[in-house]
Amino acid sequence: MAYSVASLARLIEEFEKMPGVGKKSAQRMAYYVLNLPQEEAERFAEAITDAHSKIHQCSVCCNLTENDKCSICSDPRRDFSAICVVEDFRDVLAIERTHEYDGTYHVLHGAISPMNGVGPDQLTVKQLLARIDGSVQEVIMATNPTVEGEATAMYLSKLLNPLGVKVTRLAYGVPVGADLEYADEVTLSRALEGRRVI
Amino acid sequence: MAYSVASLARLIEEFEKMPGVGKKSAQRMAYYVLNLPQEEAERFAEAITDAHSKIHQCSVCCNLTENDKCSICSDPRRDFSAICVVEDFRDVLAIERTHEYDGTYHVLHGAISPMNGVGPDQLTVKQLLARIDGSVQEVIMATNPTVEGEATAMYLSKLLNPLGVKVTRLAYGVPVGADLEYADEVTLSRALEGRRVI
């Protein structure tokens, strides 16, 4: 009989299901949990159920929130004439960190990917279209620069253009601080295409 | 006002406290949890509290178990004349995977590390010494090949040798399947020292 502890194996398994977590990391995490003081382990468990039960989508932009509207959609200092379309809430966090954007967002919760069975109906496309009235001037496509993100941006721009709204896409180019030597050809040719007078 | 959701931020924070988990991974994990079906999220939370409340140390070898004795110490087919001393339960799992060892274990729950304030009293050294009676023939030091693991093995061997028990240490050498070119000097010189006639 090999060594095994049912509840430990189950905990390791739960951690292993998470994205980017392998067997070894899951064991390390389980060990960490076992060494937590009782009340901290309970707080950890509570954080999981709490987040799950309290968080839902903002009624305007579909971003995650505990309220009816998220903190951005309910902030009067925001510029409601601009909507930045992103794939998920982490992209919102990333753009907010730049402190360069004061418009609103629209969170698609994914990208169109026929291979994975994700079509426009699985995303919050309807809610985005419903937001386009006379007040919206620009929709910025900030989906990922991947095949899926690209396809999604193209698809949405075709829907949005006839509505008379300006649709823009994030610029492609070499990442700041990176070494040209390591830039892939596609990125580099996009950077050349998009070159600007200085 | 930046975008923030209290319960989401708290969940990300809980994940970020885990070993080897950075900001990005923690966000990914939180996102994974939010997308779980309600009952799976509850099962995840339960696995944490469950493991924490059910698991304690085996009364013999100090390994993790839900019972009084772990499954190895309560298996009559095991060879109780050998004790393999390891730092934690993951090392037990690693050695069990070899299927080459049928003795018992002793889990120290760490290694001596004065820098981190870990002395023999914080480990299960007393419990190990209590196990040494006439029936134990050999104690195999399988602590990590690190400074701390080494110091712990040396410390324990000094305590155990006077008790008339044979104390051995895992062999050092080049890892199987590795490239000699990439082996560090210390490992390589240990491998030379330990060379055997073939």
Side-chain angles (χ1 to χ4, degrees):
Chain A
M1 184 171 66
Y3 168 65
S4 72
V5 183
S7 52
L8 180 60
R10 211 184 114 211
L11 184 60
I12 294 174
E13 206 181 276
E14 289 286 353
F15 280 127
E16 220 181 328
K17 283 192 217 154
M18 295 202 293
V21 178
K23 188 99 200 154
K24 296 268 166 188
S25 312
Q27 284 180 4
R28 206 150 28 118
M29 288 169 182
Y31 195 58
Y32 158 82
V33 166
L34 289 178
N35 284 317
L36 284 178
Q38 179 71 30
E39 68 272 30
E40 277 193 45
E42 270 159 27
R43 225 181 300 152
F44 189 0
E46 203 183 82
I48 290 174
T49 44
D50 249 33
H52 208 272
S53 61
K54 285 188 190 161
I55 297 173
H56 50 257
Q57 296 185 3
C58 166
S59 62
V60 179
C61 74
C62 303
N63 197 358
L64 303 174
T65 180
E66 289 179 4
N67 308 310
D68 172 49
K69 280 187 189 183
C70 77
S71 57
I72 292 172
C73 287
S74 47
D75 184 348
R77 286 164 303 175
R78 288 284 180 160
D79 174 5
F80 290 90
S81 73
I83 299 178
C84 179
V85 177
V86 295
E87 292 184 21
D88 72 43
F89 84 97
R90 291 167 294 176
D91 304 323
V92 173
L93 295 175
I95 296 175
E96 284 297 287
R97 274 196 296 271
T98 67
H99 297 291
E100 290 286 335
Y101 180 70
D102 69 349
T104 62
Y105 293 90
H106 193 82
V107 180
L108 294 173
H109 294 285
I112 294 173
S113 170
M115 294 276 283
N116 299 313
V118 181
D121 292 346
Q122 275 80 53
L123 307 175
T124 61
V125 173
K126 250 180 235 148
Q127 291 91 324
L128 172 62
L129 295 178
R131 290 177 69 184
I132 309 300
D133 53 23
S135 69
V136 177
Q137 311 273 311
E138 182 178 1
V139 177
I140 304 163
M141 291 295 157
T143 49
N144 286 329
T146 57
V147 176
E148 287 85 7
E150 214 52 56
T152 308
M154 289 306 296
Y155 174 84
L156 292 176
S157 69
K158 274 184 194 145
L159 288 179
L160 293 167
N161 273 323
L163 303 177
V165 66
K166 185 166 123 196
V167 183
T168 57
R169 180 84 174 106
L170 284 189
Y172 290 104
V174 284
V176 179
D179 225 316
L180 268 201
E181 200 181 341
Y182 299 116
D184 63 290
E185 310 87 280
V186 185
T187 300
L188 214 48
S189 48
R190 294 295 190 104
L192 275 170
E193 259 172 57
R195 68 190 181 275
R196 296 164 68 172
V197 177
I198 51 168
Chain B
M1 185 169 65
Y3 168 67
S4 72
V5 182
S7 52
L8 179 61
R10 211 184 114 209
L11 183 60
I12 293 175
E13 206 180 277
E14 288 288 351
F15 280 127
E16 218 181 328
K17 282 190 216 154
M18 296 201 295
V21 178
K23 188 99 200 155
K24 296 267 165 187
S25 313
Q27 284 180 3
R28 206 149 28 118
M29 289 168 181
Y31 195 57
Y32 158 82
V33 166
L34 290 179
N35 284 317
L36 284 179
Q38 179 70 30
E39 68 272 31
E40 278 193 43
E42 269 159 27
R43 225 180 301 150
F44 188 2
E46 204 184 82
I48 290 174
T49 43
D50 248 34
H52 207 271
S53 61
K54 285 189 189 160
I55 297 173
H56 49 256
Q57 296 185 3
C58 167
S59 62
V60 179
C61 74
C62 304
N63 198 358
L64 303 174
T65 180
E66 290 179 3
N67 308 309
D68 173 48
K69 281 188 188 182
C70 76
S71 57
I72 292 173
C73 288
S74 47
D75 183 348
R77 287 164 302 175
R78 287 286 182 159
D79 174 5
F80 290 90
S81 74
I83 299 178
C84 179
V85 177
V86 294
E87 292 184 21
D88 72 44
F89 85 98
R90 290 166 295 176
D91 305 323
V92 173
L93 294 175
I95 296 175
E96 284 296 288
R97 274 197 296 273
T98 67
H99 297 291
E100 292 285 336
Y101 180 68
D102 68 348
T104 63
Y105 293 90
H106 193 83
V107 180
L108 294 172
H109 293 285
I112 294 173
S113 170
M115 294 276 284
N116 298 313
V118 181
D121 293 344
Q122 274 80 53
L123 308 176
T124 61
V125 173
K126 250 181 233 144
Q127 291 92 323
L128 173 63
L129 296 178
R131 290 176 68 183
I132 310 299
D133 52 23
S135 69
V136 177
Q137 311 271 310
E138 183 179 1
V139 177
I140 305 163
M141 290 296 155
T143 49
N144 286 328
T146 57
V147 176
E148 288 84 7
E150 215 51 55
T152 308
M154 289 306 297
Y155 175 83
L156 292 177
S157 69
K158 275 185 191 142
L159 289 179
L160 292 167
N161 274 323
L163 303 178
V165 66
K166 185 167 123 195
V167 183
T168 57
R169 180 84 173 106
L170 284 189
Y172 290 104
V174 283
V176 179
D179 224 319
L180 267 200
E181 199 181 340
Y182 298 116
D184 63 289
E185 311 84 283
V186 184
T187 300
L188 214 48
S189 48
R190 293 296 190 103
L192 274 168
E193 259 172 56
R195 67 188 180 278
R196 295 165 70 172
V197 177
I198 52 168

